[in-house]
Amino acid sequence: MKRSWIKEVWRLVVLLLAALLTGLLVGQVLWLLLIAVTAYLVWHIRNLYELERWLSGKHKGYPGERGGLWGDVNDALYQMHRRNNKRKKRLSSILSRFRKSTDAMPDATVVLDEQGNIEWWNRESKRIFGLKSSLDAGQPLANLVRTPEFVEFMRSGGSQERIEMVSPVDEDIHLSVRIIPYGNKQRLLVARDITRLHQLEQMRQDFIANVSHELRTPITVISGYLEALADEPVDTPPVEWKKTLTVMQKQSQRMEDIVRDLLLLTRLETESQTLREQHVNVSALLDMVRDNAMVLGHNQQQVTLEMDRTLYLKGSHDELYSVFSNLVNNAVRYTPEDGLIDLSWYQKDGKAIFSVRDSGIGIAAHNIVRLTERFYRVDVGRSRDSGGTGLGLAIVKHILNRHQAELGIKSTPGKGSTFLVEFPAARTREVDDENQRT
Ligand code: ADP
């Protein structure tokens, strides 16, 4: 650039000198200087004019004059323009590749800004959320998808890991939706079509429910006959059958228990939205649970009960009874005869806590994570002998989920276990008058 500047200065000096000399020769110095300066200005303006036409896109190709200062300026601008064009082409090809790949994705993907407004979406989002026209861009997604649980999910910023919901445009489509934060406070909403999975789950639930229903009647009939036979006088049936009858009776009772628990589990799964909310007097309920547990353990263990009698809970009375009795009965069944069982019901940091501590056989750490699975038992023989179905803790987990409560298990093999249930503060209620029940 420096060289062209020197050249340009020389060009001006030579022009002015030529004008000066010619002016001296013809005796019109000022006029000739004026003509020379004007010609110089016109030349610059012409180059500027051409550059402006090129910049504004009216003139294609190379921008005007070559050589000299203008040549350098035009060259530099032209190169910059070509580089930008190349970059633009590369970027738009990356963008179009990115769009094609996200369009090919089986999941619906919506890019949201900080306020939850739609910035961009892929093809699957059109099918699942009904996003179509460019009018949808910039709108809050919660205005277009008005399903209450989705609106709440968006409001909470997707704090819950994922939610399941039906598509707002087709209620036969079931979705699993999650929000992933990224970049500068942007969020990516990903929705997966889980209709097939949902149908399979539905089929599984229906199958269990149907089988359990079908089995209930024959089992009840068999149990009834066995009971009648066992109650007959000593000779009919023959004495040697008595033992067999007792075993058969025990097994049919087991089958009845399993069917009852399976039906309860199915009901809990299918009635996921309809929890019967009552104000439950938990201490009265626990008195009952403790008394029944003592009978189950033939009064062999020492059971203590410490309760905050003013602490009530909002939830289903029968379901909560099922939770407490399952946990307490387990403590009795897995604790030796001279063992200790401590039950407590109290409030901590606003939350309501129920804990069952026993000095029983305990559970090894690797088993603890699987205890709430259906039919998972650490010791199958022991569970069966004590009348277990292997479904108790699965039922407990389901009911606790319905009450937004959490189950914690701590245990040391050979020393004992503690089962701790934590109910959220929103479900607690303090009632001063002990006799008050709602
Ligand atoms: P089960 O009918 O077999 O007791 P649950 O679902 O209630 O089924 O419990 C699952 C398993 O967890 C039990 O089989 C037992 O091995 C273990 N378990 C539950 N509670 C206790 C406890 N208090 N102490 C030791 N083991 C326990």
Side-chain angles (χ1 to χ4, degrees):
M1 200 65 166
K2 242 181 176 176
R3 275 184 58 214
S4 53
W5 273 108
I6 294 167
K7 234 167 128 186
E8 194 57 38
V9 172
W10 272 114
R11 192 197 297 253
L12 183 61
V13 170
V14 169
L15 181 72
L16 290 178
L17 275 177
L20 187 69
L21 285 175
T22 324
L24 283 173
L25 278 176
V26 294
Q28 293 290 349
V29 176
L30 273 180
W31 273 111
L32 275 154
L33 276 176
L34 191 68
I35 290 167
V37 170
T38 311
Y40 186 72
L41 257 179
V42 168
W43 176 71
H44 271 304
I45 286 172
R46 203 192 112 236
N47 281 328
L48 207 60
Y49 169 74
E50 277 185 9
L51 180 63
E52 190 276 333
R53 268 168 61 86
W54 178 75
L55 283 175
S56 60
K58 285 177 203 143
H59 171 73
K60 300 267 179 267
Y62 186 76
E65 176 77 25
R66 283 158 219 263
L69 188 57
W70 278 106
D72 282 355
V73 169
N74 289 347
D75 272 350
L77 280 172
Y78 187 64
Q79 293 310 331
M80 205 192 295
H81 174 72
R82 273 174 51 133
R83 272 201 308 274
N84 277 346
N85 266 355
K86 266 194 199 156
R87 198 174 304 149
K88 229 158 75 184
K89 270 190 196 147
R90 213 176 48 239
L91 279 178
S92 71
S93 103
I94 291 173
L95 199 66
S96 107
R97 271 205 317 257
F98 168 75
R99 288 202 167 174
K100 275 186 193 148
S101 58
T102 44
D103 269 347
M105 259 171 30
D107 296 344
T109 311
V110 186
V111 176
L112 302 169
D113 67 10
E114 203 179 335
Q115 278 80 37
N117 300 328
I118 306 168
E119 284 192 345
W120 181 83
W121 63 87
N122 71 346
R123 194 183 301 153
E124 184 65 358
S125 310
K126 296 176 194 165
R127 185 179 76 87
I128 282 182
F129 290 121
L131 301 178
K132 1 182 183 6
S133 71
S134 52
L135 286 177
D136 291 340
Q139 296 256 9
L141 183 58
N143 278 6
L144 303 171
V145 182
R146 290 174 171 275
T147 322
E149 61 259 47
F150 181 77
V151 174
E152 178 54 32
F153 184 55
M154 287 294 294
R155 204 190 52 75
S156 69
S159 56
Q160 219 178 316
E161 206 191 303
R162 62 183 73 215
I163 56 159
E164 287 186 13
M165 57 181 264
V166 291
S167 152
V169 284
D170 182 350
E171 57 183 37
D172 287 335
I173 301 179
H174 289 262
L175 303 172
S176 164
V177 183
R178 56 192 293 213
I179 291 179
I180 305 153
Y182 78 100
N184 188 18
K185 294 194 174 159
Q186 279 179 308
R187 288 177 292 167
L188 194 68
L189 181 132
V190 182
R192 173 162 296 179
D193 185 343
I194 53 159
T195 312
R196 180 90 192 104
L197 216 69
H198 188 82
Q199 283 165 347
L200 283 174
E201 175 65 11
Q202 193 64 47
M203 267 162 62
R204 185 187 65 80
Q205 279 175 16
D206 291 349
F207 176 74
I208 296 176
N210 291 338
V211 170
S212 315
H213 267 296
E214 293 298 328
L215 286 178
R216 193 160 60 165
T217 317
I219 292 171
T220 316
V221 172
I222 293 171
S223 297
Y225 278 122
L226 286 173
E227 206 172 314
L229 271 176
D231 288 346
E232 286 287 313
V234 185
D235 297 345
T236 40
V239 187
E240 59 272 21
W241 279 33
K242 276 281 179 189
K243 211 172 142 213
T244 321
L245 271 180
T246 318
V247 175
M248 286 168 81
Q249 239 185 323
K250 205 173 157 200
Q251 292 305 321
S252 72
Q253 180 59 48
R254 245 176 62 69
M255 285 200 274
E256 260 188 279
D257 291 347
I258 291 178
V259 168
R260 184 206 55 219
D261 280 358
L262 276 176
L263 280 172
L264 175 60
L265 258 177
T266 319
R267 191 174 59 73
L268 289 172
E269 277 176 341
T270 46
E271 285 181 2
S272 54
Q273 303 303 325
T274 51
L275 179 67
R276 248 188 88 209
E277 304 272 9
Q278 298 155 297
H279 284 114
V280 182
N281 180 348
V282 175
S283 44
L285 202 109
L286 286 177
D287 281 332
M288 225 153 57
V289 168
R290 194 251 322 255
D291 293 348
N292 291 341
M294 300 279 281
V295 175
L296 178 75
H298 307 291
N299 287 318
Q300 296 300 318
Q301 292 112 336
Q302 192 186 324
V303 184
T304 67
L305 177 54
E306 240 177 72
M307 300 187 286
D308 175 352
R309 289 197 173 268
T310 62
L311 184 56
Y312 281 44
L313 208 57
K314 228 172 102 208
S316 152
H317 178 277
D318 294 350
E319 291 184 17
L320 290 172
Y321 179 83
S322 187
V323 167
F324 298 140
S325 66
N326 260 308
L327 294 177
V328 178
N329 290 353
N330 274 354
V332 169
R333 287 166 46 223
Y334 299 106
T335 302
E337 287 188 347
D338 54 350
L340 302 175
I341 295 168
D342 299 322
L343 314 178
S344 3
W345 172 241
Y346 56 96
Q347 200 164 16
K348 192 179 169 199
D349 303 330
K351 293 179 177 173
I353 317 267
F354 172 64
S355 96
V356 189
R357 200 173 66 210
D358 65 51
S359 62
I361 58 170
I363 311 152
H366 66 275
N367 286 316
I368 290 182
V369 279
R370 302 197 55 192
L371 287 191
T372 53
E373 287 174 22
R374 288 156 196 228
F375 295 115
Y376 188 82
R377 286 167 283 201
V378 177
D379 179 342
V380 179
R382 185 172 186 137
S383 156
R384 281 187 185 150
D385 289 345
S386 63
T389 60
L391 294 170
L393 290 181
I395 293 174
V396 166
K397 192 182 149 205
H398 255 285
I399 298 179
L400 292 185
N401 272 349
R402 282 156 67 81
H403 288 78
Q404 299 81 44
E406 308 235 346
L407 176 68
I409 307 171
K410 279 193 202 133
S411 189
T412 315
K415 291 224 164 107
S417 319
T418 303
F419 285 70
L420 200 98
V421 182
E422 238 182 58
F423 292 93
R427 290 214 163 262
T428 63
R429 188 179 167 207
E430 276 191 79
V431 178
D432 285 335
D433 177 5
E434 274 183 24
N435 297 320
Q436 184 185 337
R437 285 192 196 179
T438 19

